[in-house]
Structure formats: C-alpha cells, structure tokens
Amino acid sequence: MGIYLDSAATTRPSDEVIAFLSDVMTSSYANPDSMHAFGLDAEKRVGHAREIIASSVSAKSGEIIFTSSGTEANNLAIFGAVETLKRKGNKIITTDSEHPSVYMPMRELEKRGFEVVYLSTKGGKIDITEFKNNLDERVILISVMLVNNETGCIYDIPEIVRVVESANFSNKPYIHCDAVQAFGKIPIDLNKLKIDMMSISAHKIHGLKGAGALFLRKGARIIPQIYGGGQENNLRSSTLNTPGIFAFGKAVEENVRDFHKNSEYINGLYDYAVSKIKEKCPNVMFNQKNGAEEYSKYILSLRLPNVRSEVMLNYMSSRGIYISSGSACSAKRQNSHEAKRVLLNYGLDKNSADFTVRVSFSKYNNTCEIDEFANALSDGINKLAVY
C-alpha cells in the first residue's frame, strides 16, 4: 500500500473496527426505526454507540446528534443556531482559518445580510483583544475550531468561553467548536469546556466515512436543516447509517482505552520525524514554532526550499508515500487563494504557502516509515528544486 502520512485527511479504519463490522453488517442491518425485534436491536446498538461517544467527552447521550459527516455537523450547528437566534442579533464571530465547512457557510450568511467577523489567527493564536473588541450584544454565534486541520495549531477555546461568560450579556451567544481534528487526539471534557455545540467525525479516528455527530448541549435550541421522518429528536431526519454509527462507537471505545498510549506514541513519532527531517533536509523549515503556539503533534507543517507543494506531492506519490498540501476538502475544488487561505492567514507569504506540505500521523505509522519519508524528501528536494 505504501506509506500513508495523510491521516488528517482521513484515517485507515482500525483492525478492531473492521473485525467488529464484519459481524454487525450481517447481524444488525435492520432500520432502527422499525418496530419489530430486529429493528429494536439495531436501535439498541445505536444507543450504545451514542452513549460511548457522549461519555468520551463527558456529555449526556441525549446531547449527541448523529450526522453524515463533520461537514454536516458544522452546517447544522451554524445554520440551525442562526435561524434560532436571528431575532436577537445579526452578528457572528469566527476566525480567518476555519475549515471550508465553517468558512463557506459564513460566506453564505454574509450574502443573507449577517455581519461576520473573521478573527486573526496569525502565528497560530486567536487575537483575544480583537475578540473582546468585537464582542457585543448583537453577537448571536461564535464558531471557532479547536485544532486547525492544516497547521495543527490548538486555539484557546477556554479563553473564548471565559471572555463570553465575563461579558454577562442578557442574550448569551451560542459557542460552536469544530473539533473534528481534536476529537480523540487531545482531551475534551464538556463539563469543563462550556460550549454549546461541537462537531466531530468518525473517519478522523479510525472509524468509517459517512458518520459524524454534533454535540448540542441540553437547553440549546437549533432549527433542523433536513426534514423528513423526525429522526435524531427531529433535528436530523434520515435513516441512520447504522454500520457507520456502530463503527463510530467502536472506534471511540478503542480510542478511549488506548488514548494515553497513542498520545505518547504520536508525540514520540512527531519528535522523531522532526529530528530526522532536520538531519536529512536541513533547508526545510517548520511552520510550527516551539513556544509560539500550542499544536497537535498529529500534524506537521513543512516549508520546502524551492519546490512547490504539488510537485513534491506527485514525486512522493510516485515513490508510494502519501502526504498533502493542506485540506483535502478544498484541494481540488477551490481557487488557489482559497486553497492557501489558512496558511496565508497563519502568516506565510504566498510563495511560502505554495511551498508548504502537510504530514499527518496515526498509530499505524512507525519510525521506519519516517526514515523512508525523510530520505525521499531529501531526494525530491535535490531533484526538483528550482533556483
């Protein structure tokens, strides 16, 4: 299969998930809304997965709404909240480096007459002073990601919450967090993190594509965006993707059990990759700067000397090594500026952004693969660099 270093785009389903699915795909395929015993068994299994996922972030099972993806969860949160709260104000605060599934809904809301403030994330940090200056009674929604999918930077959501709570507005805005790149990789405790909504996705933690979820805190209200049979407490109609949900629960169960072991392993792998790249490719720059920001060690952002990212990606692929230049969701479909938006707002100039690649790790990677990657990167720079 080669060497897969693009787990921020999607992860390989875990061995346990695959083994589990081989059983449930044939033993529990009924519609969980059916009233017969077979359907009730599927409904029970869905409930079990919901409880596992809720427990992993200290939420209640009734606060988890299953969706088809992190993108759908983000859209449901944003449009659902805005439609609920629009009579109280028309101002939204987000950041300039959100995933397209948050950024594009914000652009659409601007077309509908909402005022959207895009906070600076230069250097991998939210400008809290800018946030305070823009926070007023007209703000109905704040949407800020927890871990950036391109740079790996961790944004200070607890500080955002603290500022909102200290403002003590009569109409408190909803706080939404895209935690797709954070869930299962850094600790999340929703008893402590007082946000109203949070989006997560199964395929980033060794589950299957086609399953995501939105945490909606009890008491928060949103308007559904899909109407039909009234599934998910009338908030997301559609027959549930039971295999995806069962696998989601299994992946979370496995992740919770192995969280500390996996974290230590990824930290070591990241540090090994940094040292190996420095040894083999001394001219490569690291976009993540120690001390400048907090970041997830599941993602490593590299600036190449005189080799465009697309050229290096093709070269690596020819050698059976798979990396990326940024978000897989926008790589093929957006214009060049949008494709590099996050890196430009991080503080890179256009040339540096064009020469940046993303390497992302999972528990299935090892140091031998890092050695091969570093050697190939060195060879590629020597062969492809244009001076």
Side-chain angles (χ1 to χ4, degrees):
M1 186 191 93
I3 297 173
Y4 186 74
L5 293 168
D6 195 20
S7 287
T10 194
T11 53
R12 161 191 160 185
S14 77
D15 296 335
E16 288 189 34
V17 164
I18 293 169
F20 175 71
L21 275 175
S22 67
D23 171 52
V24 296
M25 288 285 284
T26 55
S27 67
S28 188
Y29 55 82
N31 189 324
D33 288 322
S34 296
M35 296 303 294
H36 48 65
F38 203 19
L40 294 174
D41 177 70
E43 181 184 36
K44 182 178 178 181
R45 288 180 184 242
V46 167
H48 181 59
R50 200 188 305 272
E51 289 173 2
I52 291 170
I53 294 165
S55 176
S56 73
V57 290
S58 301
K60 300 178 180 68
S61 61
E63 296 175 317
I64 301 298
I65 304 164
F66 285 120
T67 64
S68 65
S69 62
T71 289
E72 187 192 341
N74 282 337
N75 276 255
L76 174 58
I78 292 165
F79 289 112
V82 163
E83 288 186 28
T84 300
L85 302 170
K86 60 186 178 182
R87 293 178 183 173
K88 298 180 179 180
N90 75 329
K91 187 175 180 182
I92 303 165
I93 298 178
T94 186
T95 79
D96 59 12
S97 60
E98 296 296 310
H99 186 272
S101 61
V102 169
Y103 180 73
M104 297 311 293
M106 294 298 175
R107 298 300 301 271
E108 174 60 27
L109 287 170
E110 285 182 300
K111 294 176 185 177
R112 299 182 190 182
F114 289 89
E115 177 187 352
V116 180
V117 175
Y118 299 91
L119 301 175
S120 171
T121 53
K122 188 173 183 179
K125 288 186 175 182
I126 293 171
D127 188 331
I128 294 296
T129 300
E130 183 186 12
F131 176 62
K132 290 178 179 178
N133 290 340
N134 281 285
L135 185 63
D136 56 48
E137 291 274 8
R138 295 178 299 132
V139 176
I140 56 174
L141 175 66
I142 298 159
S143 182
V144 178
M145 69 194 334
L146 185 48
V147 173
N148 187 272
N149 55 296
E150 295 193 39
T151 65
C153 292
I154 300 173
Y155 296 153
D156 194 352
I157 305 301
E159 180 63 10
I160 292 286
V161 173
R162 190 195 66 76
V163 170
V164 172
E165 289 182 340
S166 65
N168 199 28
F169 294 140
S170 56
N171 293 317
K172 178 179 173 292
Y174 281 11
I175 302 176
H176 165 250
C177 182
D178 173 358
V180 167
Q181 290 291 347
F183 180 64
K185 298 171 184 176
I186 65 173
I188 299 174
D189 184 342
L190 291 170
N191 280 331
K192 298 177 181 177
L193 188 63
K194 299 297 184 180
I195 58 176
D196 302 285
M197 301 178 288
M198 182 178 76
S199 305
I200 58 177
S201 184
H203 76 105
K204 305 294 189 181
I205 59 161
H206 305 287
L208 301 183
K209 300 173 188 67
L214 176 67
F215 160 77
L216 179 67
R217 191 175 293 279
K218 184 178 180 180
R221 194 172 74 86
I222 59 174
I223 301 297
Q225 302 301 298
I226 299 175
Y227 291 86
Q231 290 88 347
E232 297 301 281
N233 292 324
N234 291 310
L235 290 173
R236 198 271 180 184
S237 292
S238 185
T239 301
L240 292 177
N241 170 15
T242 50
I245 290 168
F246 298 161
F248 198 176
K250 187 63 177 178
V252 172
E253 185 177 58
E254 185 181 353
N255 184 281
V256 169
R257 183 194 68 209
D258 298 337
F259 182 84
H260 294 295
K261 180 178 74 173
N262 289 341
S263 295
E264 289 180 6
Y265 182 75
I266 293 298
N267 286 344
L269 199 65
Y270 178 99
D271 293 343
Y272 183 83
V274 168
S275 65
K276 205 68 183 178
I277 293 165
K278 286 180 177 179
E279 174 191 335
K280 294 289 185 178
C281 315
N283 292 328
V284 167
M285 303 292 289
F286 296 87
N287 287 327
Q288 293 145 324
K289 305 175 183 67
N290 286 322
E293 70 274 335
E294 293 187 63
Y295 55 88
S296 165
K297 289 196 171 183
Y298 282 81
I299 295 174
L300 179 57
S301 183
L302 305 171
R303 225 178 314 164
L304 308 179
N306 302 305
V307 183
R308 289 189 175 275
S309 57
E310 291 80 3
V311 175
M312 182 59 78
L313 261 59
N314 290 333
Y315 175 75
M316 285 290 185
S317 185
S318 73
R319 292 187 56 159
I321 301 172
Y322 309 113
I323 59 175
S324 74
S325 59
S327 172
C329 292
S330 61
K332 295 181 179 179
R333 299 173 185 85
Q334 304 290 344
N335 59 45
S336 60
H337 183 273
E338 169 55 23
K340 303 297 181 184
R341 168 179 56 86
V342 171
L343 295 174
L344 294 171
N345 290 330
Y346 179 62
L348 302 186
D349 58 39
K350 184 179 183 303
N351 189 63
S352 296
D354 286 341
F355 287 56
T356 288
V357 297
R358 180 186 71 182
V359 181
S360 46
F361 309 105
S362 85
K363 63 184 180 181
Y364 289 113
N365 295 124
N366 57 55
T367 55
C368 292
E369 291 179 329
I370 300 302
D371 290 341
E372 288 191 47
F373 163 73
N375 288 332
L377 187 66
S378 176
D379 292 344
I381 291 170
N382 291 332
K383 292 177 180 178
L384 303 170
V386 177
Y387 296 95

